[in-house]
Amino acid sequence: MLELSNTTETLLVDENGVVKPYTNGQSRELFKTLRQWRLGEAMAINLPAYCVLEDKTLNNIVSILPTTIQMLWLVPGLRDVKIELYGNEIINIVKSFLSKHNVDKVLYGKYAITVTQKNTPLLGYLGLLDYFTIK
């Protein structure tokens, strides 16, 4: 049996290869952490928090989960100056969040394939990364 479905869902893969959905609770947690960090940055330069990064940009970070400088360029709202000023801190916050949740890889939604053979489901996920695991 082979099922192919188009999805925009981001999946998280732990160290054991177990694939889990990226939940709304997790995204809210990361958003809250980013807002707290942003507030500290804003207070340090005596400007409103939105001058550091807008909420829309924080939401984009939460969606994309950038872990490299190159990935930051995919985040709408981040450009040269913001990436230079805050890029490493954003990456560290995202990496810390992923580590806290034992996430080894992030699979960005595109296509999910489920194959069942001899009562053993094989879950494959094709996105920016190709990843297969037997559940």
Side-chain angles (χ1 to χ4, degrees):
M1 180 175 120
L2 173 66
E3 293 177 28
L4 176 64
S5 61
N6 200 357
T7 179
T8 57
E9 182 182 21
T10 297
L11 299 177
L12 307 176
V13 183
D14 71 15
E15 299 156 350
N16 299 319
V18 177
V19 180
K20 301 176 195 171
Y22 178 37
T23 66
N24 287 335
Q26 290 170 322
S27 61
R28 281 192 302 271
E29 175 190 339
L30 180 56
F31 183 79
K32 183 178 176 182
T33 302
L34 287 166
R35 283 189 75 177
Q36 289 172 339
W37 162 80
R38 179 185 67 178
L39 180 60
E41 292 295 317
M43 291 173 62
I45 58 175
N46 201 25
L47 287 174
Y50 70 85
C51 290
V52 174
L53 293 174
E54 296 179 357
D55 278 355
K56 186 162 80 172
T57 304
L58 296 181
N59 277 320
N60 292 334
I61 293 167
V62 167
S63 294
I64 294 174
L65 297 169
T67 56
T68 66
I69 292 293
Q70 293 79 9
M71 288 181 73
L72 288 174
W73 287 97
L74 299 173
V75 178
L78 287 181
R79 290 293 167 251
D80 305 18
V81 174
K82 300 289 184 175
I83 290 173
E84 187 175 322
L85 288 172
Y86 308 119
N88 288 328
E89 292 178 68
I90 293 168
I91 288 167
N92 288 336
I93 291 168
V94 172
K95 283 183 175 180
S96 176
F97 167 80
L98 294 173
S99 177
K100 175 182 172 186
H101 292 279
N102 299 316
V103 174
D104 186 49
K105 291 180 178 48
V106 177
L107 304 177
Y108 302 91
K110 190 170 181 184
Y111 297 100
I113 298 173
T114 304
V115 179
T116 305
Q117 181 179 355
K118 295 184 182 177
N119 298 324
T120 304
L122 170 68
L123 173 68
Y125 200 83
L126 305 174
L128 292 179
L129 301 171
D130 290 335
Y131 188 83
F132 293 91
T133 185
I134 293 191
K135 281 181 102 177

